């Protein structure tokens, strides 16, 4: 029988038997030669030598030593961990917090920024538009195109032979009212708000997405406008609204005023082409009218090629033999040809140069488009750094714990080294123990991370203006698990290696001789500085984190106190869309006027007005201008921001008029259009001149308009608290310079805004029943909504600061307890010789505070350096914000006092007699 | 310390011990004790094979598949593990023997020439 196939145990037994038989035979020979039986037995055994060593060396020849050692170490490690549940629990929990926090942030980072789209071969995809651009632009652009118009997409699609496929998708994700019909099964007749994405026919085919049920639509839906009222729904939609009932296929739902038939379901992990969005329903782009009624976004703009409506993202799949660079060059040739054929006599001499200077920046599209990259990219990376620091603190804590335990096991190690264990072998074993501990912590940490991530997303979403605005599928994937594994190994090295090296230092005789380590002092004293150094590092890192938290809290407070330039209290805003209601041109303006009159008649209002862009409503207008009496310098851009406002806008909003008057009723019909400029405009274009009466011309090609300045208003923040106010021109809404598709009403109430909501809705309905239902927002809510990223970062950095402080205080407590415990005899002697208890207490406390002081001294410069790096995220803070540093130092001092107090108290309570007898 | 000694002894003899074991088995299967006795006798009591080196060597040879083992009843009615040479072992033995030959010739060459030089 082949020896090799036997189990290890059997082989060991056989070896035993073999060696025994050897001894027996040797004894027989010796006896035959005349030795006595006992003498022969002794001689034979002696000749054999060290029996167990012999067996071990022989077993080595069987190979697999490395693996065996690992198993043995693991089993031994598990036993050690089980025998010390207190140590294991604390260490594992600390590690779980550190590793868990890192995994949580990384998995958000991964989902938001790193993961590829859940489609077939995402590396073959490219984006022709700007993946961070969303919404719609009306007008023209130079340079790299952010978004495209539908007619432009059609041209590219029909004239391209270099992509395997090209598709377009709406760059926004509107919330639309959906009625699930009134059949019995499922949810009958219920209306809800769903997110709808318009896409072209081969969207699913090019992405390579197969339906989970039913079928996807194809290029046949691109033929006729309004001809394919079919829809593909998301898996979540199917599950939540219909409980995965297959009868949903073929059912009709009503989106706004059009009925759609559900033909298919997308697979569960598919969320579309934009990271951060998760549409409920996909419908063909040719059905655009149903989603954006009253507008034609598919035909070329009748106002000329310089007044395009650009609103779609375009992506394509590369052909295998045409790489990205080549595809980019070639598609730009096609694009240029399109621009040239579109331009022509409709433009003056200067315009073509700007118009033809447009390009398609073709980028790799494996990550698709993103609503998160722009806003959350830097904050997430910053949070990763913070959370990495927390991990360092956690590792330092565990390292100290391991050191302390190692000291207790000194004798065990000394013994083992004395009987011949190699130092490397011991270190390997200790590292295996540490690895086990780390894996334990990592396992708990991953569970913690999953829970924390759900919480995190909820916090982030709540802070956003629209609940559910941030949609991320946090499915742990290989990359996240790989990251966790890497972090676990790293933490093991960090907290396991140094203690292992220290604890196995061969200084054996004092250890073996003495009953306690503390008395002889040598090994302890050498180890203590390491423990203290670790605590100092912990304190330093805590300082950095606390300072960071403090800075963000401070920055956020400053941001929310920024003077908007107008009064945000008790102000309601809602948008009314004239084109959606079927109004065009002057009829729209008249409708706005009527509605304003009706609203002003509502009792209990302090004021009501209307404007085109509203405030903090993600809307902005701008045009090139010419100013009377102002000669532009060479290469100076003559642009201004614009807005159209109704009468009494400035007084209703609380924007002070610095010169002249505000826009009033008389401007609705004046022959010469009156306009108001803001302070920045006056300072820049009328530096030493009275601007009243001067003329400004909007020089946008194809839509020139004139106006005369009648007043100067103070600056106001339009869309962001951080923005630098541009020069702005306010034109009368009721005598507009161009057609206003939509307008935003601002209504100021006396008290609780919500009491007026019903009256407002009624006013809108009475003015025109064709207008879609309005969504009412409060000004305060909108402004807060703009701070969602800042608040997110502030909350998290605050949480990490607290976590760091907690861990550091545990570390402090631990090291001081250990110090006190190891010095019990000294303290006892001192007390016995007459020292005051208070002195002992104070001395220990002093030591604690000294550690904290050193840590703070090290941490503050680090914090200052770090602040410099993240200045871009902070608002209005100087280089060294003393408040934050003071705050951090005070908090830490308090924490140190508390953490150090208990050990200090215990030290002072030491009974000298007990201490003197203490081993 | 003790372990070091073993290692050194094994290393010194490893090549030659393997050779002698294989050669001994050339003359028929034998158990460990028998091999050590055979080597002692054949070397004229000069080479006492240390048991601590013998068994590791035997197991190593078995792992290399140059010998194969079997439990049989020995001459004195006891169970013992008998080792025998495999075909691969035979080839290995021939190789080792020629290498040993070359080595002795080389050293001999050096010693003889030295002898010539020092002779008057």
């Amino acid at each position: 029988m082949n020896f090799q196939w036997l189990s290890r145990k059997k082989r060991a037994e056989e070896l035993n038997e073999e060696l025994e038989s050897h001894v027996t035979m040797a004894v027989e020979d010796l006896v035959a030669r005349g030795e006595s039986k006992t003498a022969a037995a002794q001689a034979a055994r002696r000749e054999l030598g060290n029996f167990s060593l012999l067996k071990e060396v022989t077993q080595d020849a069987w190979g697999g030593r490395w693996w065996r050692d690992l198993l043995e170490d693991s089993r031994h490690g598990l036993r050690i961990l089980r025998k010390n549940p207190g140590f294991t629990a604390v260490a594992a929990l600390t590690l779980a917090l550190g590793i868990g926090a890192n995994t949580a942030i990384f998995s958000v980072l991964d989902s938001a920024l790193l993961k590829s789209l859940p489609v077939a071969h995402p590396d073959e995809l490219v984006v022709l538009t700007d993946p961070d651009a969303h919404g719609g632009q009306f007008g023209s652009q130079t340079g790299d195109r952010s978004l495209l118009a539908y007619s432009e997409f059609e041209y590219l699609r029909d004239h391209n032979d270099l992509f395997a496929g090209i598709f377009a998708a709406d760059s926004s994700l509107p919330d639309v009212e959906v009625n699930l019909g009134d059949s019995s099964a499922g949810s009958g007749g219920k209306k809800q708000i769903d997110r709808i994405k318009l896409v072209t026919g081969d969207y699913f085919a090019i992405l390579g997405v197969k339906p989970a049920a039913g079928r996807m639509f194809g290029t046949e839906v691109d033929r006729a406008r309004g001809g394919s009222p079919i829809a593909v729904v998301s898996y979540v939609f199917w599950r939540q609204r219909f409980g995965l009932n297959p009868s949903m296929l073929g059912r009709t739902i009503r989106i706004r005023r059009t009925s759609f038939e559900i033909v298919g379901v997308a697979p569960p992990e598919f969320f579309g082409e934009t990271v951060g969005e998760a549409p409920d329903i996909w419908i063909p782009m040719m059905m655009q009218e149903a989603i954006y009624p009253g507008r034609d976004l598919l035909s070329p703009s009748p106002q000329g090629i310089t007044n395009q409506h650009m609103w779609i993202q375009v992506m394509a799949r590369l052909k295998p033999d045409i790489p990205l660079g080549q595809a980019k060059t070639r598609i730009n040739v096609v694009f240029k040809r399109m621009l040239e054929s579109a331009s022509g006599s409709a433009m003056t001499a200067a315009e073509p140069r700007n118009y033809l200077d447009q390009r398609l920046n073709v980028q790799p599209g494996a990550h698709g488009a993103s609503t998160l990259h722009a806003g959350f990219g830097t904050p997430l990376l910053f949070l990763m750094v913070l959370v990495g620091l927390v991990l360092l603190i956690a590792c330092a804590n565990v390292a100290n714990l391991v050191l302390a335990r190692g000291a207790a096991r000194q004798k065990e190690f000394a013994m083992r080294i004395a009987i011949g264990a190699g130092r490397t072998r011991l270190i390997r074993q200790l590292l295996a123990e540490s690895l086990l501990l780390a894996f334990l912590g990592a396992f708990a940490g991953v569970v913690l991370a999953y829970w924390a991530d759900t919480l995190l997303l909820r916090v982030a979403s709540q802070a956003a203006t629209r609940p559910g605005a941030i949609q991320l599928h946090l499915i742990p994937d290989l990359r996240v698990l790989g990251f966790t594994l890497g972090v676990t190994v790293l933490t093991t090295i960090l907290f396991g290696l140094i203690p292992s090296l220290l604890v196995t230092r061969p200084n054996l005789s004092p250890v073996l001789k003495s009953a306690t380590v503390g008395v002889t002092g040598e090994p302890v004293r050498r180890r203590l500085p390491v423990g203290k150094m670790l605590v100092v590092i912990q304190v330093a890192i805590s300082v950095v984190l606390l300072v960071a938290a403090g800075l963000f809290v401070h920055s956020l407070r400053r941001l929310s106190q920024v003077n908007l330039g107008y009064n945000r209290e008790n102000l309601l805003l809602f948008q009314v869309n004239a084109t959606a209601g079927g109004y065009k041109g002057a009829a729209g303006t008249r409708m706005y006027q009527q509605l304003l009159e009706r609203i002003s008649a509502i009792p209990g209002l302090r004021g009501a007005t209307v404007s085109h862009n509203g405030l903090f409503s993600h809307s902005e207008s701008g045009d090139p201008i010419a100013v009377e009496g102002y000669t532009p310098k060479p290469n100076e851009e003559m642009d201004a921001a614009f807005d159209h406002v109704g009468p009494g806008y400035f007084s209703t909003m609380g924007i002070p008029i610095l010169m002249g008057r505000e826009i009033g009723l008389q401007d609705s019909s004046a022959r010469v259009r009156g306009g108001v400029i803001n302070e920045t405009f006056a300072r820049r274009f009328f530096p030493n001149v009275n601007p009243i009466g001067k003329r400004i011309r909007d020089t946008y090609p194809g839509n020139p308009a004139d106006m005369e300045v009648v007043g100067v208003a103070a600056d106001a923040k339009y869309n962001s608290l951080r923005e630098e106010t541009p020069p702005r021109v306010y034109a009368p809404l009721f005598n507009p310079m161009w057609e206003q598709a939509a307008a935003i009403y601002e209504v100021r109430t006396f008290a609780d805004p919500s009491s007026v909501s019903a009256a407002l809705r009624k006013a809108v309905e009475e003015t025109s029943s064709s207008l879609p239902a309005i969504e009412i927002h409060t000004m305060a809510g909108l402004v807060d909504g703009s701070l969602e990223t800042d608040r997110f970062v502030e909350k998290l950095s605050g949480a990490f600061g607290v976590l760091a402080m907690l861990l550091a205080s545990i570390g402090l407590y631990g090291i001081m307890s250990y110090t006190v415990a190891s010095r019990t005899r000294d303290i006892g002697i001192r007390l016995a010789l007459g020292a005051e208890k208070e002195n002992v207490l104070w001395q220990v406390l002093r030591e604690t505070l000294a550690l904290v002081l050193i840590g703070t001294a090290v941490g503050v410069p680090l914090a200052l350096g770090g602040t410099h790096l993240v200045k871009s995220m902070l608002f209005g803070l100087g280089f060294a914000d003393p408040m934050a540093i003071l705050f951090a130092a005070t908090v830490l001092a308090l924490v140190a006092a508390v953490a150090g107090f208990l050990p200090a108290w215990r030290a002072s309570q030491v009974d000298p007699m007990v201490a003197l007898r203490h081993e | 310390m003790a372990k070091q000694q073993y290692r050194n002894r094994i290393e010194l003899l490893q090549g030659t011990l393997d050779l002698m074991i294989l050669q001994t088995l050339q003359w028929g299967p034998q158990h460990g004790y028998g091999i050590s006795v055979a080597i002692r006798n054949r070397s004229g009591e000069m080479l006492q094979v240390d048991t601590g080196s013998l068994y590791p060597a035997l197991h190593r040879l078995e792992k290399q598949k140059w010998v194969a083992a079997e439990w049989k009843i020995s001459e004195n009615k006891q169970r013992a593990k008998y080792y025998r040479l495999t075909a691969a072992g035979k080839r290995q033995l021939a190789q080792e023997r020629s290498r040993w030959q070359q080595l002795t010739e080389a050293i001999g060459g050096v010693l003889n020439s030295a002898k010539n030089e020092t002779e008057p």
Side-chain angles (χ1 to χ4, degrees), chain A residues 6-20:
Chain A
L6 295 176
S7 76
R8 186 151 228 114
K9 197 162 152 216
K10 276 240 99 208
R11 279 151 81 171
E13 279 172 18
E14 274 205 9
L15 179 61
N16 236 0
E17 199 181 343
E18 187 179 358
L19 293 174
E20 284 294 337

Side-chain angles (χ1 to χ4, degrees), chain A residues 647-671:
Chain A
Y649 176 80
F650 296 93
S651 45
T652 312
M653 296 306 296
I655 302 178
I657 295 286
L658 305 172
M659 259 204 247
R661 64 169 179 84
E662 65 166 338
I663 291 185
L665 284 163
Q666 71 267 47
D667 294 298
S668 312
S669 50
R671 205 176 14 97

Side-chain angles (χ1 to χ4, degrees), chain A residues 86-300:
Chain A
F87 161 76
T88 314
V90 173
L93 188 66
T94 314
L95 286 172
L97 284 173
I99 298 179
N102 272 278
T103 308
I105 300 287
F106 183 77
S107 84
V108 175
L109 192 86
D110 182 51
S111 280
L113 303 178
L114 301 176
K115 252 209 297 233
S116 302
L117 292 177
V119 298
H121 303 292
D123 41 300
E124 292 172 1
L125 293 173
V126 293
V127 190
L128 278 71
T129 38
D130 179 4
D132 294 324
H134 298 278
Q137 271 179 297
F138 190 77
S140 66
Q141 237 188 338
T142 45
D144 288 340
R145 263 310 187 86
S146 325
L147 298 168
L148 284 172
Y150 187 73
S151 49
E152 294 174 330
F153 160 73
E154 276 182 316
Y155 186 93
L156 290 174
R157 183 189 58 195
D158 300 333
H159 290 85
N160 126 76
D161 55 351
L162 46 86
F163 291 123
I166 184 169
F167 67 80
D170 187 352
S171 63
S172 349
L173 187 62
D175 294 314
V176 182
E177 191 177 271
V178 170
N179 194 324
L180 292 179
D182 41 23
S183 26
S184 47
S187 23
K190 263 209 314 205
K191 280 197 246 183
Q192 46 227 340
I193 310 283
D194 282 325
R195 298 179 291 270
I196 316 280
K197 179 71 84 166
L198 288 164
V199 296
T200 53
D202 41 7
Y203 175 81
F204 294 106
I206 297 174
L207 286 175
V209 176
K210 302 271 182 302
R215 65 172 179 92
M216 302 298 195
F217 47 74
T219 41
E220 70 279 356
V221 305
D222 285 335
R223 264 183 254 130
R225 200 174 297 203
S228 318
I230 57 179
V232 170
V233 302
S234 71
Y235 198 82
V236 172
F237 181 94
W238 190 25
R239 190 179 52 217
Q240 281 180 351
R241 308 288 160 84
F242 289 91
L244 298 182
N245 191 336
S247 70
M248 177 190 73
L249 297 171
R251 193 99 65 105
T252 348
I253 54 175
R254 208 175 172 72
I255 301 178
R256 283 253 167 83
R257 298 209 179 102
T258 320
S259 291
F260 286 80
E261 181 195 340
I262 302 179
V263 298
V265 182
E269 72 284 352
F270 182 67
F271 56 79
E273 79 300 331
T274 303
V275 176
E277 284 184 348
D280 297 304
I281 307 174
W282 286 271
I283 60 177
M285 198 165 280
M286 279 297 171
M287 302 302 298
Q288 169 256 309
E289 182 93 32
I291 306 298
Y292 303 115
R295 298 156 84 181
D296 180 4
L297 299 170
L298 301 173
S299 319

Side-chain angles (χ1 to χ4, degrees), chain A residues 15 61 81 377 387 410 479 513 555 579 614-615 650 679 780 859 862 868 876 884 897:
Chain A
L15 179 61
L81 290 179
V387 98
Q410 232 3 46
R479 204 181 294 127
K513 268 194 284 183
S555 160
T579 30
L615 293 157
F650 296 93
E679 229 182 306
L862 283 176
H868 195 67

